[in-house]
C-alpha cells in the first residue's frame, strides 16, 4: 500500500498549465472571446459580465489513462491496476486540469459614434495543473531495482510547475481599417500558491559485480520551489480566508504579462486571426521555501535498503551527507505558459435577407467553416492541437459553433458551443468531447464553459 500511495502522489502533485479553448476562440458573439484574442472582431457598444457568473470553465485531460483504469469496480486489485497504468504509459503522457472563474469583466466603446476603438477590463481567478508521468521514478517505487540491474533510472522525469493565481487585465482594441483589427492586453498576476520543479536532472543505477557485491551510483540535481505555503506550515494561527483574499487582491507574489492579437480580412468572406497570450512572468519573493536534493553518492557492497530503513546507520548517514536535503529561502521567477492561436475562416450564405440587417464583415454571412491551430509552451515539448469548425447563425439571437479537435488527449474530440442573446442578456455554454459523456469515467478529456453577460450591441449588430 505504501508504494501505491507514493505513486498516486507522484501522479497528482506535479505541474500546471492552461488549456486550449478552441470553442471560445473567435466565437465573437461571446465577449469572453476577447480573452483568447484581444484583436477579435467584436461589435459591442458596451458589455459587462454578471459577477462570478460571466465566465466559469473547467478542463481535465489525460493522455495516458482514465479514471476508469484506476478506480473501476471490476474486481481487479488496485495495485494491479496501478501497475498496468504505470507500465502502459510513457514519460510523455500527462494529466492536466484547469479551472477559471471570472470575478468581473466588462468593456465599452470609446470615442464618437464613428470610432471603432474599445476598452475591456476584468479580473479572474485561475488554477492550472499538469503532471507528466514520472515513468522511471514510478517503476523504482513499485519494484525497486532488484530486477533492473544495469538500468539507469532518470530522475529528470520530475519536471513540474503549478499555480493558483488571480489576474487583473485591461485591453485596448482598434479597427485600423475595414480589413484589419488589432488588440493588446496588459495583465497583472498575483500568485496565491505556486510549486515549481523544472530542469531537474540526475540518475540512479546498480551494477552487480562478483560475490554479491554491487556498485550503486546516485547523482541528483533536483530542486522544488514553493511560494505561498510557508505561513500555513509553521503553527499557523491566522485567518486563511482573509490571507488568501488579500493575496488574490494584489497581495501575493506579483508579475506582469501581456497579450497581442489581430483579425484580418483579405476578402470580405475570408478571415485570418492570430494571437499570442500570457507572455509574462511572476517574481516569487514572499513565503518562499525551496527544497533541494543535490549531490553524488557511490556505494560498493551489499545493496542497502534506504527506503525501508533496513540499511546500516553509517551507510544511511553517508548517503544523507552526500545528497542532503537543503531548505532554502531564495527568490525565484516563473514564466507563464505562452499560448499561440491562429485561424483561417471562410464564410458563406448571405444573411441580409433576414431581419438582422447587419453591416459587419463577418455577420453578413450565416455560415462559416474554418481551421484553428493552438500551441502552448510546456516544460518539455510544446502542446499542439488542430481544430476544424463550423459556425452558423441559426436565428438572430442564437449562434452555434461545432468543432472537431485533434490533440494528444483524444482523436475523437467533438465539441459544441451555443450563444444566445435575449434582450440584452447573453448566455453561452460550450462543451468538449461530447462522445465521452456517456461514461465520463472512461474519458481522456472533458471541458465545459458557461456564463452570463449583459450586452449593448452596436445598433446594426444582430447580437
Amino acid at each position: 500500500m505504501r508504494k501505491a500511495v507514493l505513486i498516486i502522489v507522484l501522479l497528482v502533485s506535479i505541474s500546471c498549465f492552461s488549456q486550449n479553448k478552441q470553442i471560445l476562440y473567435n466565437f465573437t458573439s461571446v465577449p469572453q472571446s476577447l480573452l483568447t484574442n484581444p484583436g477579435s472582431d467584436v461589435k459591442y457598444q458596451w458589455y459587462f459580465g454578471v459577477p462570478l457568473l460571466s465566465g466559469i470553465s473547467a478542463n481535465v485531460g489525460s493522455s495516458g489513462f482514465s479514471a476508469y483504469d484506476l478506480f473501476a469496480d471490476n474486481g481487479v486489485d488496485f495495485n494491479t491496476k496501478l501497475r498496468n497504468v504505470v507500465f502502459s504509459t510513457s514519460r510523455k503522457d500527462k494529466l492536466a486540469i484547469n479551472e477559471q472563474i471570472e470575478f468581473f469583466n466588462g468593456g465599452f466603446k470609446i470615442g464618437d459614434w464613428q470610432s471603432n476603438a474599445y476598452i475591456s477590463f476584468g479580473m479572474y481567478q485561475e488554477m492550472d495543473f499538469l503532471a507528466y508521468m514520472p515513468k522511471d521514478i514510478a517503476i523504482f517505487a513499485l519494484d525497486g531495482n532488484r530486477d533492473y540491474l544495469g538500468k539507469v533510472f532518470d530522475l529528470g522525469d520530475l519536471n513540474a510547475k503549478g499555480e493558483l493565481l488571480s489576474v487583473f487585465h485591461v485591453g485596448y482594441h482598434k479597427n485600423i481599417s475595414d480589413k484589419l483589427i488589432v488588440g493588446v492586453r496588459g495583465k497583472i498576476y498575483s500568485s496565491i500558491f505556486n510549486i515549481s520543479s523544472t530542469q531537474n536532472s540526475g540518475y540512479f543505477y546498480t551494477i552487480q559485480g562478483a560475490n554479491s557485491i554491487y556498485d550503486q551510483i546516485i547523482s541528483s540535481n533536483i530542486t522544488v520551489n514553493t511560494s505561498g505555503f510557508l505561513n500555513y506550515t509553521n503553527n499557523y494561527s491566522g485567518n486563511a480566508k482573509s490571507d488568501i483574499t488579500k493575496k488574490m487582491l494584489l497581495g501575493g507574489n506579483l508579475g506582469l504579462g501581456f497579450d497581442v492579437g489581430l483579425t484580418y480580412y483579405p476578402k470580405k468572406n475570408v478571415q485570418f486571426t492570430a494571437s499570442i497570450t500570457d507572455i509574462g512572468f511572476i517574481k516569487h519573493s514572499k513565503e518562499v521555501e525551496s527544497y533541494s536534493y543535490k549531490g553524488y553518492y557511490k556505494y560498493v557492497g551489499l545493496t542497502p535498503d534506504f527506503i525501508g530503513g533496513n540499511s546500516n546507520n553509517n551507510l544511511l548517514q553517508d548517503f544523507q551527507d552526500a545528497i542532503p536535503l537543503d531548505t532554502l529561502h531564495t527568490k525565484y521567477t516563473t514564466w507563464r505558459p505562452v499560448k499561440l492561436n491562429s485561424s483561417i475562416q471562410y464564410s458563406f450564405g448571405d444573411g441580409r435577407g433576414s431581419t438582422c440587417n447587419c453591416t459587419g464583415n463577418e455577420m453578413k454571412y450565416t455560415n462559416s467553416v474554418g481551421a484553428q491551430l493552438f500551441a502552448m509552451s510546456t516544460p518539455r515539448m510544446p502542446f499542439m492541437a488542430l481544430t476544424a469548425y463550423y459556425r452558423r447563425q441559426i436565428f438572430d439571437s442564437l449562434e452555434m459553433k461545432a468543432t472537431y479537435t485533434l490533440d494528444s488527449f483524444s482523436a475523437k474530440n467533438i465539441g459544441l458551443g451555443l450563444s444566445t442573446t435575449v434582450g440584452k442578456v447573453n448566455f453561452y455554454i460550450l462543451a468538449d468531447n461530447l462522445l465521452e459523456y456517456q461514461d465520463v469515467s472512461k474519458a481522456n478529456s472533458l471541458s465545459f464553459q458557461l456564463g452570463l453577460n449583459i450586452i449593448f450591441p452596436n445598433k446594426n449588430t444582430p447580437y
Side-chain angles (χ1 to χ4, degrees):
M1 188 62 189
R2 173 181 60 84
K3 294 179 180 179
V5 171
L6 177 60
I7 299 301
I8 291 174
V9 171
L10 290 170
L11 288 174
V12 301
S13 65
I14 303 187
S15 171
C16 87
F17 291 93
S18 302
Q19 84 285 6
N20 185 14
K21 294 187 175 181
Q22 68 271 22
I23 306 177
L24 181 63
Y25 183 77
N26 204 32
F27 199 18
T28 50
S29 61
V30 179
Q32 281 69 21
S33 63
L34 280 167
L35 293 176
T36 61
N37 180 6
S40 294
D41 186 6
V42 298
K43 300 177 176 67
Y44 312 125
Q45 188 70 26
W46 60 276
Y47 71 90
F48 64 89
V50 178
L52 297 177
L53 296 176
S54 61
I56 301 172
S57 68
N59 172 280
V60 60
S62 170
S63 63
F65 61 95
S66 66
Y68 182 86
D69 296 327
L70 279 175
F71 304 108
D73 185 13
N74 55 7
V76 179
D77 181 73
F78 177 78
N79 287 333
T80 299
K81 289 184 286 191
L82 183 60
R83 289 182 61 85
N84 291 339
V85 166
V86 169
F87 284 94
S88 65
T89 55
S90 74
R91 68 188 302 270
K92 295 181 180 179
D93 286 314
K94 52 190 173 292
L95 171 68
I97 300 173
N98 173 274
E99 67 81 24
Q100 189 178 102
I101 298 176
E102 282 187 351
F103 284 83
F104 63 88
N105 186 26
F108 55 90
K109 188 175 181 179
I110 59 176
D112 59 26
W113 66 275
Q114 291 181 317
S115 174
N116 285 309
Y118 298 84
I119 296 291
S120 59
F121 57 91
M123 171 198 174
Y124 60 88
Q125 170 270 320
E126 185 169 6
M127 184 276 292
D128 295 317
F129 174 94
L130 174 107
Y132 283 96
M133 166 60 80
K135 180 79 172 185
D136 279 1
I137 299 173
I139 292 174
F140 178 72
L142 281 174
D143 293 342
N145 62 332
R146 183 184 62 181
D147 299 326
Y148 298 93
L149 298 180
K151 173 179 172 56
V152 178
F153 292 91
D154 187 359
L155 302 183
D157 278 2
L158 185 63
N159 193 324
K161 188 178 179 183
E163 197 103 53
L164 175 66
L165 74 163
S166 62
V167 182
F168 293 81
H169 59 89
V170 177
Y172 177 76
H173 167 284
K174 174 71 174 177
N175 289 48
I176 303 299
S177 68
D178 290 340
K179 291 186 175 184
L180 179 62
I181 304 164
V182 298
V184 63
R185 181 175 305 280
K187 294 180 174 179
I188 299 177
Y189 305 111
S190 183
S191 175
I192 303 167
F193 300 111
N194 173 266
I195 180 169
S196 176
S197 185
T198 61
Q199 298 180 347
N200 294 314
S201 61
Y203 56 86
F204 166 63
Y205 69 87
T206 303
I207 300 175
Q208 184 174 7
N211 300 321
S212 298
I213 299 299
Y214 296 86
D215 286 342
Q216 187 164 270
I217 294 177
I218 303 174
S219 177
S220 176
N221 183 19
I222 294 176
T223 300
V224 179
N225 296 314
T226 71
S227 71
F229 299 99
L230 187 58
N231 287 347
Y232 306 103
T233 59
N234 296 329
N235 299 318
Y236 178 71
S237 60
N239 188 315
K241 180 179 178 180
S242 176
D243 286 350
I244 292 173
T245 301
K246 181 180 177 181
K247 292 178 183 178
M248 189 175 294
L249 298 176
L250 301 179
N253 289 293
L254 300 181
L256 297 174
F258 68 95
D259 309 336
V260 293
L262 62 85
T263 299
Y264 177 67
Y265 291 92
K267 296 182 180 180
K268 286 186 176 181
N269 65 332
V270 177
Q271 180 200 67
F272 171 79
T273 73
S275 70
I276 303 177
T277 59
D278 274 329
I279 306 170
F281 67 93
I282 297 174
K283 185 71 174 180
H284 300 271
S285 58
K286 302 175 184 178
E287 296 182 56
V288 172
E289 192 165 62
S290 300
Y291 312 94
S292 70
Y293 278 99
K294 295 184 179 181
Y296 178 87
Y297 180 76
K298 182 176 181 179
Y299 169 79
V300 178
L302 300 177
T303 304
D305 182 6
F306 298 128
I307 296 177
N310 297 322
S311 46
N312 180 281
N313 288 336
N314 291 332
L315 291 177
L316 181 58
Q317 187 62 50
D318 289 344
F319 170 77
Q320 293 174 340
D321 290 341
I323 307 180
L325 170 60
D326 289 328
T327 302
L328 308 171
H329 301 276
T330 55
K331 301 177 182 179
Y332 66 97
T333 299
T334 59
W335 293 88
R336 297 294 295 156
V338 179
K339 294 172 282 295
L340 167 69
N341 280 284
S342 182
S343 72
I344 185 74
Q345 177 177 286
Y346 172 78
S347 300
F348 59 97
D350 196 336
R352 289 175 296 181
S354 69
T355 58
C356 76
N357 190 29
C358 46
T359 61
N361 278 312
E362 179 182 357
M363 297 309 296
K364 287 182 180 179
Y365 305 96
T366 56
N367 304 279
S368 299
V369 294
Q372 177 199 340
L373 175 67
F374 173 80
M376 181 178 69
S377 62
T378 76
R380 293 181 181 165
M381 59 187 304
F383 174 78
M384 308 283 290
L386 182 63
T387 298
Y389 66 86
Y390 170 68
R391 287 176 58 178
R392 180 170 176 82
Q393 190 75 33
I394 301 174
F395 306 114
D396 291 345
S397 60
L398 179 63
E399 185 177 359
M400 175 271 291
K401 182 178 180 181
T403 61
Y404 169 73
T405 301
L406 180 65
D407 58 27
S408 59
F409 293 127
S410 176
K412 53 180 181 180
N413 184 347
I414 295 175
L416 180 66
L418 295 173
S419 173
T420 181
T421 303
V422 179
K424 298 295 188 291
V425 179
N426 167 257
F427 172 74
Y428 68 94
I429 183 167
L430 322 173
D432 232 346
N433 254 304
L434 298 179
L435 298 179
E436 303 286 4
Y437 278 83
Q438 52 190 332
D439 188 350
V440 295
S441 68
K442 296 181 179 179
N444 285 104
S445 67
L446 293 170
S447 73
F448 75 89
Q449 300 166 71
L450 56 88
L452 280 170
N453 300 290
I454 307 300
I455 296 178
F456 284 74
N458 287 340
K459 293 181 179 180
N460 292 323
T461 306
Y463 43 77

